[in-house]
Amino acid sequence: MEIAGLHSPRELIVLVDALPVPAVVALDAHVGSAHLNGAMQRLLGIPSDERLVSFESAPYHIESYGRFLLKEEAPLARATRGETVEGETFDFVLTNGRRFELMGSAQPIRDDAGRIVGAIATFTDVTDVRSSERVSAERLAFLATFGGKLSDALTVDAVFGELEAALVPRFTTQLQMELSDEEGRVVDVRGAEIGRPWSDEHYFRIPMTSHGRRVGTLTLGARGLRNEDVQLLFEVARRAATAIQNAQLYEHHESASKVFQEALLPAKLPTVDDVRFDAVYAAGDDRALIGGDWYDAFELPDGRIAVSIGDVTGRGVIAAALMGKVRQTISGLSFYETDPVKLLDVAELALMRRYPDSLVTAIVGVFDPSSGEFIYATAGHPHPFLRRADGTVLQLPCHGLPLGLRQHDEERSSVTFRIMPGDTLVLYTDGLTEANHDPVEGERRAREALASMPAGTYAPARYMQRTLLPDGSRDDVALIALTFDPPHAPRRNDILEVKFDSRDVRMARDLRTFTVDFLKAYGAPDA
């Protein structure tokens, strides 16, 4: 972990205490003791005077898959030996018997000479997952971590390396990947040659299929697989097949850039009664064919819909890989944390750890189809548009700096709007409004286009793209639109429901301006 400008353990403690997520830091390479930040202390219920704990007398011990971990096996100790721990689940058991399940990551801290001088570990609390949902939650966390690593794998060797790291020894003792051409002939083999089965072990063959084409076969030597393990392995094989296709195209064709970009975007949008989703991604016409814009929407376990859209500074493979990393961070964590502000905070922490010079604008929101409530938070991103059923268009308030520029003491809060029957919510990246290098004029044109959109338009995002960018754009463009339209519900256009944190002074000021604009739109007098 690169921490520039720190000259004392005290400075490191101040930095860790400012993190919004539970964290533990070791201030020496021997892990004799560790400092718990306030979030970790509150999570475990440890008194404020016990932030500095000795590993010999810590008020908790750590377990993994039901096994007591020795001191040297703990994530912090592993990091002091140079290991990076990502997305592993641990049980923290207090001396009073209370148990917390945490998903953690850890990294070493090095001085200017490259020597390891300590380590830091951050955690996400997943304790509240019900026991009946535990297997599902572990699978989601595993797939989120695996999918994030696949987004960085641009060669066939790299994809197989991620498969091997994910599956061995957790599911198998032997692993082989056969790749096939379009006629089904084996053209490449990676991994161990699997021969005659052992008496207590059988071999499992899983087809690797992507977009209707069989890419190859994954063969595992395994024993004692449960039904949920088999289901998970089929999903791993499916995701690996898509990554293999992308890697093959990237290695052999320049035009693979566009395919790779599409593979980083969701394969399909949610299907929800009375809600229509429409999305568009269009690469810029400057021949890069790949960039850092994204959109995402998927259903959460409780039936709500998580939505995100964003724009990574830059173009090309690096921007696309970074985009995939940020999108995977948000989507993976959203199964455990649905507060949009916290999701953006964690995404920024992940961004700064790996790409400290990068900037990302983003909106993260959660939509409840049953009530129409949309709660969202923003980081330097263009204002969303809300088109009412009567054609009136409102520009929703948002503020805050992009990820990578925000300050720890910056006021950050979410806003909740109720989307009424017939309303359409449009989120977009700045490629839609800055094609002519005049964002003010671009937003005016976008507002007019949305207001004049015919009622009942089936694909609002594609309508906006065709109307505003008939000749394309030099910049990438991403749009996603949600239309909430129960067939028999009454339509009211003169109702506005908003919830926000009144302590956020800047948001309160923005909402006051927004409310005045709303009243004017419906004919209220100046007074």
Side-chain angles (χ1 to χ4, degrees):
M1 177 180 238
E2 298 295 332
I3 305 180
L6 293 177
H7 303 291
S8 69
R10 177 60 187 166
E11 289 180 287
L12 182 57
I13 289 175
V14 171
L15 175 64
V16 172
D17 281 343
L19 294 177
V21 296
V24 181
V25 62
L27 302 179
D28 61 79
H30 304 293
V31 204
S33 61
H35 176 85
L36 282 60
N37 75 346
M40 187 69 169
Q41 172 200 16
R42 291 188 294 272
L43 173 65
L44 299 181
I46 295 175
S48 59
D49 58 353
E50 293 183 19
R51 283 199 182 185
L52 185 63
V53 297
S54 166
F55 274 86
E56 302 302 330
S57 60
Y60 59 83
H61 71 267
I62 304 175
E63 297 179 3
S64 178
Y65 293 98
R67 186 178 69 85
F68 181 89
L69 292 187
L70 301 176
K71 167 188 169 183
E72 57 268 22
E73 295 175 309
L76 206 63
R78 289 160 57 189
T80 63
R81 299 194 297 272
E83 183 178 348
T84 297
V85 181
E86 291 189 4
E88 294 186 13
T89 303
F90 305 91
D91 284 335
F92 278 62
V93 184
L94 302 185
T95 52
N96 63 8
R98 292 184 64 194
R99 179 181 295 267
F100 298 84
E101 185 174 358
L102 306 181
M103 186 168 66
S105 301
Q107 287 188 311
I109 301 172
R110 302 178 186 272
D111 61 14
D112 293 338
R115 295 185 295 265
I116 296 176
V117 295
I120 183 171
T122 58
F123 298 91
T124 300
D125 184 12
V126 295
T127 308
D128 292 335
V129 179
R130 296 191 301 268
S131 59
S132 62
E133 300 172 335
R134 186 172 302 279
V135 172
S136 176
E138 289 179 354
R139 289 175 59 195
L140 290 170
F142 174 86
L143 290 173
T145 301
F146 180 68
K149 292 181 177 179
L150 280 186
S151 66
D152 287 339
L154 301 181
T155 67
V156 173
D157 282 337
V159 173
F160 182 75
E162 296 300 344
L163 274 169
E164 194 170 31
L167 302 183
V168 179
R170 179 173 180 176
F171 296 103
T172 181
T173 57
Q174 291 179 294
L175 181 66
Q176 178 176 282
M177 181 175 70
E178 297 176 353
L179 301 182
S180 308
D181 61 14
E182 294 184 356
E183 283 72 40
R185 296 170 298 195
V186 175
V187 295
D188 195 2
V189 178
R190 307 292 169 102
E193 289 289 340
I194 296 181
R196 187 174 181 179
W198 301 335
S199 59
D200 61 342
E201 188 161 8
H202 69 276
Y203 292 102
F204 209 76
R205 294 176 66 83
I206 304 173
M208 301 175 66
T209 305
S210 174
H211 302 296
R213 181 194 159 216
R214 184 157 179 166
V215 176
T217 302
L218 203 61
T219 304
L220 302 91
R223 54 171 169 258
L225 289 178
R226 301 167 296 176
N227 287 336
E228 56 264 30
D229 293 334
V230 174
Q231 295 173 4
L232 180 61
L233 290 172
F234 269 87
E235 177 63 18
V236 166
R238 185 190 68 79
R239 295 190 181 202
T242 300
I244 288 291
Q245 280 193 323
N246 293 332
Q248 289 173 331
L249 289 170
Y250 181 78
E251 290 175 331
H252 300 295
H253 306 285
E254 288 186 3
S255 61
S257 296
K258 183 177 181 180
V259 179
F260 176 68
Q261 177 81 48
E262 292 173 350
L264 292 173
L265 298 173
K268 62 179 182 178
L269 295 173
T271 301
V272 181
D273 291 343
D274 303 325
V275 182
R276 299 197 310 272
F277 292 84
D278 182 42
V280 169
Y281 171 80
D285 59 6
D286 61 357
R287 301 185 64 83
L289 293 179
I290 190 167
D293 289 25
W294 88 85
Y295 66 83
D296 200 5
F298 51 91
E299 188 171 4
L300 297 173
D302 62 4
R304 293 183 297 165
I305 305 296
V307 181
S308 72
I309 192 166
D311 185 357
V312 175
T313 301
R315 301 297 306 280
V317 174
I318 293 177
L322 177 54
M323 172 268 283
K325 185 74 67 177
V326 175
R327 174 178 165 253
Q328 286 284 350
T329 298
I330 294 172
S331 63
L333 189 63
S334 63
F335 285 90
Y336 305 106
E337 173 60 68
T338 59
D339 183 342
V341 174
K342 293 181 180 178
L343 289 173
L344 286 173
D345 287 342
V346 175
E348 183 172 43
L349 287 173
L351 179 73
M352 293 298 95
R353 183 171 62 226
R354 295 286 300 275
Y355 306 93
D357 297 324
S358 298
L359 299 178
V360 178
T361 70
I363 292 179
V364 175
V366 176
F367 174 64
D368 187 346
S370 64
S371 65
E373 280 197 346
F374 179 69
I375 179 172
Y376 70 95
T378 63
H381 203 77
H383 297 255
F385 286 115
L386 181 65
R387 184 189 191 272
R388 311 307 299 272
D390 64 352
T392 303
V393 176
L394 305 173
Q395 208 166 4
L396 301 188
C398 57
H399 69 78
L401 294 173
L403 304 183
L405 288 180
R406 304 192 305 170
Q407 303 296 320
H408 287 298
D409 58 352
E410 176 186 332
E411 291 181 344
R412 293 193 278 271
S413 62
S414 59
V415 181
T416 302
F417 275 87
R418 187 179 299 277
I419 302 178
M420 298 297 183
D423 288 356
T424 297
L425 176 69
V426 179
L427 312 178
Y428 59 94
T429 58
D430 59 12
L432 182 72
T433 55
E434 297 185 9
N436 296 324
H437 307 288
D438 185 344
V440 175
E441 173 64 14
E443 288 187 0
R444 186 194 65 77
R445 292 181 62 241
R447 192 167 186 151
E448 288 183 353
L450 194 56
S452 60
M453 181 177 69
T457 297
Y458 184 77
R462 280 168 279 183
Y463 170 85
M464 294 288 287
Q465 180 201 16
R466 290 193 304 268
T467 303
L468 296 174
L469 304 171
D471 301 320
S473 170
R474 290 190 57 82
D475 195 7
D476 301 332
V477 179
L479 300 93
I480 184 167
L482 290 73
T483 301
F484 184 48
D485 195 12
H488 304 299
R491 298 185 175 187
R492 293 293 304 275
N493 304 307
D494 55 351
I495 294 177
L496 179 66
E497 293 187 26
V498 185
K499 300 176 185 177
F500 69 101
D501 187 344
S502 60
R503 293 170 297 181
D504 189 336
V505 177
R506 183 174 175 183
M507 182 62 77
R509 184 172 61 247
D510 290 349
L511 277 166
R512 180 173 59 189
T513 302
F514 172 81
T515 305
V516 171
D517 291 341
F518 171 80
L519 293 172
K520 288 181 178 179
Y522 288 97
D526 290 342

